[in-house]
Amino acid sequence: MKRFAFGVGGWVLGIVLAGLSAAALTAQQPSEIQLVISGEPGTPPRYAVPDFIALTPDSADMAKTLGRVLWDDLNFEREFYMVPRDTYATIPLARTPEDVPFAAWRELGADAVVFGTVQKTDANTVRVQIRLFNVRSRQSVFAKEYTGSSANPRLYAHTMSDEIHQQQRALRGVARTKLTFSSDRNREKIAGPVDNRDVKEIYIADYDGENQRRVTTNRQLNIMPVWSPDARSIAYTSYRRGYPDIFIALIYQGLQETPTNGVGQNWLPVFSPDGTRICFTSNRDGNPELYVMDRDGSGVRRVTNNPAIDTTPTWSPNGTQIAFTSDRPGQPQIYIVGADGLNLRRITTMDSYADRPTWAPAPFNEIAYAARTGPGFDIKVFDLASGTTRQITFGEGSNESPAFSPNGRHLVFTSTRANDRVQVFTMGRDGRNVKQITRDANNYTPGWSN
Amino acid sequence: MAKVLPSAPTPGGGRLTRGRRVSTTLAEINVIPLVDVMLVLLIIFMVAAPMLQRGVELNLPVASRSQEIASDRIFVSVPLSFREDRRVFIGQDPVRVDVLTERMRQMMLNRSDRQVFLRGDGGIELQELLDVMDRLKAAGVDKVGIINKLPGEQ
């Protein structure tokens, strides 16, 4: 009898042990965590980005900046519904990741909430930490730590935004990209016999217009800047020698290259997508034609051959074709030619005046250009696959000089819509979400870096 | 006097015939009890349906001139307890009135008809109801309808 009872006890114990070990086994296996935060069906996920937490008192300003800039960066791609920051007032700031008030965020309708901290480790370095929480499951789906210089806190927010877009949306964000443009904001006059003209210098800025910096300082006309594909150099046209020639500024080394070096007059350089070649306009053989050369200026080959003016080239994303403006039909129109000079064809037929084509990066197979619509210009986009054209600005001032962002979802352009001066703006590729980048003096011919 | 006819059934034979008739059964389903049960269920659900009312419990104000609401809409209810806890209900979902504007803005995002029906308790003051209505308007709601019941309606 006693032995029987022991037997049953052992059997029960065995089952309990087996159950425990099974539970331990499942706990050891990586649990299935949903890393991508989704919204309600048919709506984008809703993100809330409160202020970061300053772990040291001297990083309080930085904490506010990080939250604000990250919100703007995430809002820019329009992949998420960003819950406006002025609605967070009633929600207490969490000091630790454990006491994030998920119920309050849920009540506000947020699907995802950011918890970030910033800490000054010494005079010039900071440590920034970020976690992205799924408000429903209360799980952290993204966690990163950054350590570095405290000089530009916005760069941390830009980096976080790009990484969140990459992880949550498999999308290449543009928060760390830069713009370049030509500006006469110095209000200096060109010295010498040239009639009373303002100098134009090359400037760079973050994609959101912050940190605007001057690149050239030669008090001449410096125009039409474009970024190299590695985003470390800017090629532009300068009249610093009295005639137009091509210069390449290596902005991080402070060096300058002159690949054409005084052979004829040369304008409008553009880098091929792999960065090894430059297409440009030159009148070295008599009238303006397109040429292609290697980056160091060797191996110059002529692409077009026509008595009319061929100018403003732009490369196709795979580097085999070039779109450009030519006035051979009497008015400027957009043409495409192979980089070898073959297979010329005209693509604009409906516009009286079409200028400054710019080829979108893959996967968008389209060319944006400025077309005359009434007194001013508007930006139109030609779809190469279907052969159709859509207009994306509609007569608010004159809109010119489009250039695509590296992910093809945005355009930078100039417009006179804000005042009677020319300013740089960005917009989505559908023409919505127009954002003013420059406010001072006149700013021309923007380019967008990779 | 009684004539015995050869065709007349004998008592034994007659009993035999009657017995054969009883043994034939009716091979059909009797649906009458089924129909009875179905009708009873139907009546139960008909009685119960008006009781499964949407929204929180409150006394609607009374007005005789009003229209029926056609289809499924967004309802915002302001119960009498609003005065104490500053909470309203979006459908069945209790929210603080501070976040009502943002929640409504999110709901209006993909809608073509930007209208909301406000169910205020009859005991709520007009000023309190207008506060809520202000927040709805700030969220981009075009039309706010105020729900009432007809005189005598329960």
Side-chain angles (χ1 to χ4, degrees):
Chain A
M1 192 68 188
K2 197 177 178 184
R3 191 179 163 196
F4 174 71
F6 176 77
V8 171
W11 187 66
V12 170
L13 189 69
I15 287 183
V16 170
L17 279 178
L20 278 177
S21 60
L25 269 179
T26 48
Q28 278 165 7
Q29 282 164 358
S31 54
E32 197 70 27
I33 296 175
Q34 192 66 40
L35 284 180
V36 174
I37 299 172
S38 52
E40 286 158 21
T43 62
R46 295 189 280 256
Y47 275 54
V49 184
D51 282 348
F52 279 43
I53 307 297
L55 296 180
T56 47
D58 52 352
S59 53
D61 287 349
M62 212 177 277
K64 280 207 161 41
T65 307
L66 283 167
R68 191 164 39 82
V69 176
L70 181 58
W71 192 97
D72 288 342
D73 288 349
L74 290 173
N75 195 37
F76 189 70
E77 293 289 348
R78 291 186 280 163
E79 283 290 318
F80 312 118
Y81 173 87
M82 299 304 293
V83 181
R85 281 168 60 82
D86 57 5
T87 61
Y88 305 166
T90 59
I91 297 177
L93 264 183
R95 306 299 306 180
T96 63
E98 285 74 38
D99 54 41
V100 174
F102 288 110
W105 289 115
R106 190 87 209 99
E107 190 186 40
L108 193 60
D111 298 311
V113 64
V114 164
F115 172 82
T117 60
V118 55
Q119 178 181 15
K120 273 211 164 180
T121 46
D122 62 54
N124 297 319
T125 57
V126 283
R127 180 186 298 141
V128 180
Q129 287 179 314
I130 180 175
R131 280 168 204 242
L132 181 66
F133 284 101
N134 184 335
V135 174
R136 284 200 202 86
S137 68
R138 308 191 172 194
Q139 276 170 331
S140 164
V141 298
F142 175 87
K144 283 260 174 164
E145 179 179 303
Y146 309 88
T147 314
S149 158
S150 58
N152 185 10
R154 305 177 67 90
L155 185 59
Y156 293 100
H158 293 335
T159 310
M160 289 184 260
S161 165
D162 281 354
E163 291 186 357
I164 288 172
H165 274 124
Q166 186 65 47
Q167 191 226 20
Q168 293 290 314
R169 284 301 209 225
L171 170 74
R172 186 182 160 196
V174 295
R176 279 176 293 178
T177 59
K178 289 187 187 303
L179 305 174
T180 179
F181 50 88
S182 153
S183 175
D184 62 2
R185 63 185 64 180
N186 304 94
R187 296 178 176 83
E188 294 165 340
K189 301 293 178 192
I190 293 170
V194 192
D195 52 357
N196 191 25
R197 294 188 69 177
D198 287 330
V199 300
K200 289 181 187 166
E201 303 277 15
I202 306 295
Y203 283 75
I204 59 170
D206 290 353
Y207 89 103
D208 54 5
E210 294 291 324
N211 292 326
Q212 299 197 5
R213 293 225 177 89
R214 184 170 171 176
V215 173
T216 59
T217 53
N218 54 40
R219 301 191 175 193
Q220 283 291 336
L221 275 181
N222 301 283
I223 51 174
M224 318 274 189
V226 293
W227 287 93
S228 67
D230 63 3
R232 298 187 62 80
S233 336
I234 294 170
Y236 60 98
T237 310
S238 175
Y239 287 72
R240 71 181 64 172
R241 291 174 178 160
Y243 58 89
D245 207 350
I246 292 169
F247 292 82
I248 301 176
L250 284 72
I251 55 171
Y252 295 107
Q253 288 124 299
L255 299 174
Q256 172 179 294
E257 292 170 356
T258 51
T260 46
N261 220 359
V263 182
Q265 299 182 351
N266 309 291
W267 305 266
L268 291 160
V270 274
F271 288 97
S272 66
D274 61 1
T276 59
R277 289 174 293 168
I278 293 172
C279 185
F280 63 101
T281 307
S282 176
N283 66 354
R284 59 186 66 190
D285 294 324
N287 84 313
E289 301 284 355
L290 296 186
Y291 295 80
V292 172
M293 64 179 170
D294 292 340
R295 158 117 191 206
D296 59 3
S298 63
V300 179
R301 294 177 301 281
R302 185 165 167 173
V303 178
T304 58
N305 192 348
N306 192 286
I309 295 170
D310 300 323
T311 186
T312 65
T314 176
W315 292 83
S316 72
N318 60 6
T320 58
Q321 288 179 301
I322 293 164
F324 63 98
T325 310
S326 175
D327 68 350
R328 56 189 74 184
Q331 286 283 334
Q333 296 290 336
I334 312 292
Y335 285 78
I336 293 178
V337 68
D340 52 5
L342 302 175
N343 300 321
L344 181 84
R345 65 186 171 107
R346 176 175 165 180
I347 61 166
T348 53
T349 50
M350 306 299 286
D351 299 301
S352 64
Y353 191 115
D355 194 10
R356 284 201 71 86
T358 176
W359 213 311
F364 304 105
N365 194 16
E366 51 193 28
I367 293 173
Y369 61 95
R372 175 171 285 158
T373 53
F377 287 83
D378 273 311
I379 293 174
K380 293 187 177 182
V381 180
F382 177 79
D383 186 336
L384 286 141
S386 64
T388 55
T389 305
R390 62 190 165 92
Q391 188 171 342
I392 53 175
T393 65
F394 295 91
E396 282 184 83
S398 186
N399 306 288
E400 291 177 64
S401 297
F404 278 98
S405 72
N407 63 7
R409 294 162 60 97
H410 313 275
L411 286 138
V412 62
F413 65 105
T414 60
S415 178
T416 56
R417 63 182 68 190
N419 38 36
D420 51 355
R421 293 173 180 276
V422 182
Q423 300 294 353
V424 175
F425 292 79
T426 60
M427 65 178 165
R429 62 185 286 277
D430 55 2
R432 291 166 59 199
N433 292 43
V434 176
K435 183 176 168 187
Q436 187 165 357
I437 299 298
T438 62
R439 291 168 198 284
D440 192 15
N442 293 298
N443 301 276
Y444 305 92
T445 59
W448 203 320
S449 83
N450 266 339
Chain B
M1 277 309 269
K3 278 193 267 183
V4 176
L5 295 171
S7 63
T10 59
R15 211 176 292 133
L16 197 69
T17 325
R18 215 172 287 134
R20 273 208 199 111
R21 279 205 187 119
V22 165
S23 74
T24 60
T25 53
L26 195 65
E28 283 171 19
I29 296 171
N30 189 356
V31 294
I32 292 168
L34 277 178
V35 170
D36 285 350
V37 170
M38 291 300 294
L39 285 176
V40 168
L41 281 177
L42 186 65
I43 288 164
I44 288 173
F45 279 112
M46 281 170 66
V47 171
M51 296 176 181
L52 303 170
Q53 206 186 2
R54 169 198 311 119
V56 281
E57 197 70 26
L58 39 78
N59 292 318
L60 290 170
V62 175
S64 54
R65 304 258 169 208
S66 55
Q67 290 141 12
E68 298 267 326
I69 304 157
S71 61
D72 195 35
R73 309 281 182 181
I74 297 175
F75 288 89
V76 173
S77 309
V78 186
L80 206 53
S81 62
F82 175 76
R83 215 162 280 169
E84 277 81 50
D85 60 5
R86 305 279 296 165
R87 268 174 201 283
V88 297
F89 289 77
I90 301 173
Q92 298 280 14
D93 192 11
V95 290
R96 282 180 299 129
V97 73
D98 298 325
V99 303
L100 175 68
T101 305
E102 177 55 26
R103 285 291 293 272
M104 270 299 136
R105 196 179 294 144
Q106 294 167 7
M107 293 178 88
M108 290 299 121
L109 215 55
N110 296 320
R111 288 181 77 95
S112 52
D113 62 325
R114 294 162 173 269
Q115 55 178 347
V116 168
F117 293 97
L118 196 55
R119 303 171 76 238
D121 193 290
I124 285 286
E125 278 176 26
L126 190 56
Q127 183 59 59
E128 291 166 316
L129 206 59
L130 283 178
D131 279 350
V132 175
M133 211 193 278
D134 257 358
R135 290 170 195 269
L136 295 179
K137 290 277 183 187
V141 176
D142 291 337
K143 289 186 198 161
V144 180
I146 296 184
I147 307 285
N148 60 295
K149 59 184 179 185
L150 296 167
E153 186 185 335
Q154 284 303 307

